[in-house]
Amino acid sequence: MDKNKGLAAGLLLLAALITALGLFLFSGSKKELACANSIKLRIDAVVEERARITGNIDILNGQRERLVQDVQDYGEKIKALENEIPSVTQERDKALAMLSDVENELAELNRALEETISQEAALRDELENAGLTHRDLQDALEFAGSEKLELEESLKVCIQQSQGVQLPKIIVKVARPLNGEVVEVSEKYNFCVIDLGSGQGVNSGDTLEIYRDNRFIAKALVENVYDDMSSIIVLDQWRGVSIYTGDAVKLHKV
């Protein structure tokens, strides 16, 4: 009987041990399951992060490839530009040389313009002086004409008183001055100025002979006519002849 009780007690103890072990194992299993779930979540997060990083790596690889291609393209462009540099430099030097020539030509034209303005001012002064001289000569000529008329009247009166003869009226004609001289020479513009004008009967298109020391040297054509001076050009046949201030001119009129 005691033996059966001991066996039953042992069996109860064994059952209790088995139960305690089951409870222990169940409790550890729950902890392991929770730990496994936590690890699985972390693994999923790591996998997701890896996928994101992999995507970014693919994007960066694509950008790197494009940048590498761009670098190659720029390298080729740089080589092409390096090859073009000598020709561009030559064109620049040529343009600078042309600019220098244009600036020099412009400076020469400005100097020529200043000389022309100076010559024009000098010619205007000479024209004004010549006009004053011409007016003085006209006044002197009118005065001399009036004196001549008075002398003629006095002469007629004297002759009538001495001879008692009625004399016919004396008419005196003064010849036109057809002789003059060169007062200005412009070799640059190929014309001369003479001291004869419309007041002396000069017309545009008249032909003049030019003399030096009473020796014929050239013929010229009247171009522009003013009151007491004219501009003339030497005819082509005598273009090589040098004309000087003071050379005598003779007007040919029909």
Side-chain angles (χ1 to χ4, degrees), residues 101-145:
D101 294 339
V102 170
E103 289 178 346
N104 292 334
E105 185 175 356
L106 180 60
E108 292 179 0
L109 290 175
N110 285 329
R111 285 194 295 269
L113 178 61
E114 292 176 357
E115 292 178 0
T116 302
I117 293 173
S118 177
Q119 290 179 1
E120 180 183 0
L123 287 174
R124 288 184 183 277
D125 292 339
E126 291 183 8
L127 179 61
E128 184 178 357
N129 294 332
L132 293 174
T133 303
H134 177 64
R135 285 193 291 272
D136 293 340
L137 290 175
Q138 283 183 331
D139 293 340
L141 182 61
E142 290 176 359
F143 179 75

Side-chain angles (χ1 to χ4, degrees), residues 202-215:
V202 177
N203 296 314
S204 178
D206 287 345
T207 302
L208 293 171
E209 290 183 351
I210 304 175
Y211 293 84
R212 184 178 303 138
D213 298 330
N214 295 322
R215 182 174 59 86

Side-chain angles (χ1 to χ4, degrees), residues 141 148 172-177:
L141 182 61
K148 180 177 75 66
V172 179
K173 294 183 179 180
V174 179
R176 292 182 303 170

Side-chain angles (χ1 to χ4, degrees), residues 180-227:
E181 66 178 22
V182 177
V183 295
E184 184 69 29
V185 177
S186 176
E187 296 181 357
K188 184 175 182 179
Y189 299 103
N190 193 30
F191 74 91
C192 304
V193 178
I194 62 173
D195 60 356
L196 299 176
S198 59
Q200 291 76 39
V202 177
N203 296 314
S204 178
D206 287 345
T207 302
L208 293 171
E209 290 183 351
I210 304 175
Y211 293 84
R212 184 178 303 138
D213 298 330
N214 295 322
R215 182 174 59 86
F216 170 79
I217 59 174
K219 282 188 178 183
L221 185 70
V222 177
E223 227 181 3
N224 299 313
V225 181
Y226 306 95
D227 290 341

Side-chain angles (χ1 to χ4, degrees), residues 143-177:
F143 179 75
S146 62
E147 285 189 343
K148 180 177 75 66
L149 291 176
E150 292 179 0
L151 289 174
E152 288 177 351
E153 292 297 332
S154 299
L155 179 61
K156 286 193 295 181
V157 171
C158 290
I159 293 175
Q160 289 174 356
Q161 290 178 352
S162 62
Q163 298 182 358
V165 179
Q166 183 69 32
L167 295 176
K169 186 177 180 179
I170 300 174
I171 299 176
V172 179
K173 294 183 179 180
V174 179
R176 292 182 303 170

